[in-house]
Amino acid sequence: RGTTSASSDMTDKADNTTREETTATPGVDTEKKEETAAKKKDDTDQDEDGELDSDGGSHKGDGDSDHEDEVLREDVFRAKMLKSRENLGKDHELTIKRTLRLVSCLIAQYKLNETDELLDAVYPVCKELGGSLYIKCIQSRAFNKFKQYKFRDALEIFKEQATHVGPSAALYENMAHTYNSLGDYENAASFFSQAMALLDAGSFGKKGGILLGLGLVRERQGKVEEALPILQDALFHYKKDHGNEDGTSLIAKASMSVGQCFEKLGRLEEAEGHIRNARDIFKRAVGDRSPLTANSLGVLGRILYAQGKREEAEPMLLESLDLEVEKDAFHADTVWRLMNSLKEMWTEGGIKVELPVLQAKCRKYEPVLAKCSQRIVDLKLDQEGPHPGFKVDEGTVAVIYKTAGELCMLGGNYKDAQMYIRKAVTLLERIKDFDCSVLTQSCVSSLQFMGKQSE
């Protein structure tokens, strides 16, 4: 899967007619692999993967009810929490219980920043009280860390939970999904197998979730043909457990995994059907603005483009980018991939696009590019130093700015293009452990071209 998976790979570019108009714009045709290499990814920290189980039902995960129901639940639980705070105090046991109920709703809606604040506030009291409240608190912290791509933190919390509650199918499944997202496939497979054994022995858990994880491990190991039937079995079990074809986002997540497996096998029509179905379920279950919806739109746009359905793919990629830029757990690599896909859509693939049409297309992207730039500034991702709260490095931020500048350049907006590309140069020049000279020279060439055009 992806964002959750968070992971979306996109592609495409323009033809001889357009190239005469656009390839005079240096930097737009820079090799994608050099941009990718500039992003110093820790190869053990991958994208959010799988579906965490509730380990006893204390957390509903990503929602079995529809989006409107979840919002209403949030309003009710928030009102009850605030009432308890006022009447009983913030550290009263009833206030803590109501806070944790609210936290469950917020995690389901990916409202991760507020969740952090609430959990930080109640954690000391929960630790002092101990018992089930402390278990629910640390479990919620683990879920939240997982959704923020802080997989190592999540794993350590799950390990602590295991010292308090012992082994269970649901907990071992959660640990296995986290190992899988870290790229530790050996431990992931081991814990999924242990989870299945515990499930067969009567421990609480979900067979669909364990099968989904086992399939994802096979897929990430490159064993796609082996993965497909396992993922299809997971989808079958989710549908069986929930009694209908499209009633829950868990079914949609399994459909996403099956669809992306079909995509890797080149069976694009089947892939498209599964991803479309998942997108429709996500829209109903978690709403139009959820990161789950964003991911499904990005994957669907990618698959449509691979089939030559450019006009249908473009608005989905743009909507996905807009949602990814806004979400609490900002994932720079996904943002860049989507942005780069929109660029390649009009600069690769032999498409004929007249210059006025090309400029009109690319100017539509300017609001989301500006929003992305502001988000980077707000999160201080353009500043030196490590960013422990985000899965990002300066190379990734640099190629975001570079690609944003190239899109503005294609749209004829040289003022913004120059601003973004200058920011990219500043960031690239800070990187000392990787040769960014090709990327830097591409940026310089673009600035020189635009300077001449402005004379």
Side-chain angles (χ1 to χ4, degrees), residues 23-304:
T23 54
T25 330
V28 173
D29 297 317
T30 302
E31 285 289 332
K32 178 171 62 178
K33 62 185 178 183
E34 289 163 345
E35 294 184 334
T36 303
K39 304 182 295 95
K40 301 168 293 183
K41 292 193 69 169
D42 178 348
D43 60 8
T44 62
D45 270 354
Q46 302 186 20
D47 293 325
E48 179 190 343
D49 212 351
E51 165 59 24
L52 298 188
D53 204 326
S54 62
D55 194 20
S58 64
H59 177 70
K60 286 180 68 63
D62 287 311
D64 292 335
S65 55
D66 64 30
H67 178 60
E68 290 183 359
D69 287 344
E70 201 67 20
V71 171
L72 289 173
R73 278 164 44 85
E74 178 190 339
D75 290 342
V76 170
F77 290 154
R78 188 183 301 280
K80 289 184 175 180
M81 179 196 72
L82 293 174
K83 184 177 180 180
S84 289
R85 274 188 187 176
E86 182 180 355
N87 294 335
L88 303 172
K90 64 182 180 64
D91 295 339
H92 192 279
E93 186 171 340
L94 181 58
T95 305
I96 301 298
K97 288 180 179 179
R98 289 178 170 177
T99 300
L100 293 175
R101 289 194 192 106
L102 174 60
V103 159
S104 179
C105 287
L106 295 175
I107 293 176
Q109 297 176 75
Y110 282 73
K111 296 180 179 180
L112 309 180
N113 293 342
E114 184 180 359
T115 298
D116 263 342
E117 293 174 3
L118 289 171
L119 288 174
D120 286 346
V122 302
Y123 177 79
V125 182
C126 289
K127 187 172 184 179
E128 182 179 344
L129 291 172
S132 62
L133 284 180
Y134 182 59
I135 299 304
K136 289 179 181 179
C137 179
I138 62 172
Q139 178 176 271
S140 295
R141 287 177 76 93
F143 285 139
N144 210 49
K145 297 296 183 187
F146 186 91
K147 291 176 185 290
Q148 292 171 320
Y149 309 107
K150 300 175 183 177
F151 304 121
R152 296 182 189 282
D153 292 343
L155 182 60
E156 290 307 310
I157 298 172
F158 283 134
K159 287 179 178 178
E160 181 188 354
Q161 184 181 351
T163 65
H164 292 283
V165 301
S168 72
L171 178 56
Y172 275 26
E173 179 196 337
N174 291 342
M175 295 175 71
H177 280 303
T178 311
Y179 276 121
N180 196 22
S181 292
L182 284 166
D184 186 346
Y185 305 130
E186 183 177 347
N187 268 318
S190 173
F191 273 87
F192 279 129
S193 297
Q194 292 179 70
M196 188 68 79
L198 287 164
L199 183 71
D200 291 341
S203 176
F204 175 84
K206 298 174 183 174
K207 189 170 186 178
I210 299 171
L211 288 169
L212 179 65
L214 287 168
L216 289 169
V217 171
R218 297 287 191 283
E219 183 186 12
R220 284 201 161 170
Q221 291 174 323
K223 303 173 183 178
V224 184
E225 292 186 352
E226 287 183 29
L228 180 59
I230 301 174
L231 294 171
Q232 288 173 317
D233 196 15
L235 178 58
F236 168 79
H237 278 279
Y238 273 131
K239 289 179 176 179
K240 179 182 176 183
D241 290 345
H242 293 279
N244 57 55
E245 290 293 301
D246 60 4
T248 170
S249 61
L250 301 180
I251 292 174
K253 287 187 174 186
S255 291
M256 287 290 297
S257 296
V258 172
Q260 289 177 97
C261 219
F262 276 127
E263 180 191 12
K264 288 185 177 180
L265 292 170
R267 296 162 63 175
L268 297 183
E269 288 188 6
E270 292 165 284
E272 179 186 339
H274 278 281
I275 304 302
R276 279 191 187 277
N277 185 50
R279 178 206 57 183
D280 293 343
I281 296 172
F282 283 140
K283 281 180 172 285
R284 289 194 299 273
V286 294
D288 292 340
R289 309 299 296 177
S290 169
L292 299 175
T293 305
N295 181 57
S296 66
L297 287 166
V299 174
L300 183 55
R302 178 178 77 214
I303 291 171
L304 289 170

Side-chain angles (χ1 to χ4, degrees), residues 3-43:
T3 217
T4 116
S5 95
S7 200
S8 303
D9 318 294
M10 324 280 164
T11 38
D12 273 348
K13 258 189 191 156
D15 87 286
N16 291 335
T17 305
T18 308
R19 284 190 188 277
E20 293 179 1
E21 299 164 334
T22 63
T23 54
T25 330
V28 173
D29 297 317
T30 302
E31 285 289 332
K32 178 171 62 178
K33 62 185 178 183
E34 289 163 345
E35 294 184 334
T36 303
K39 304 182 295 95
K40 301 168 293 183
K41 292 193 69 169
D42 178 348
D43 60 8

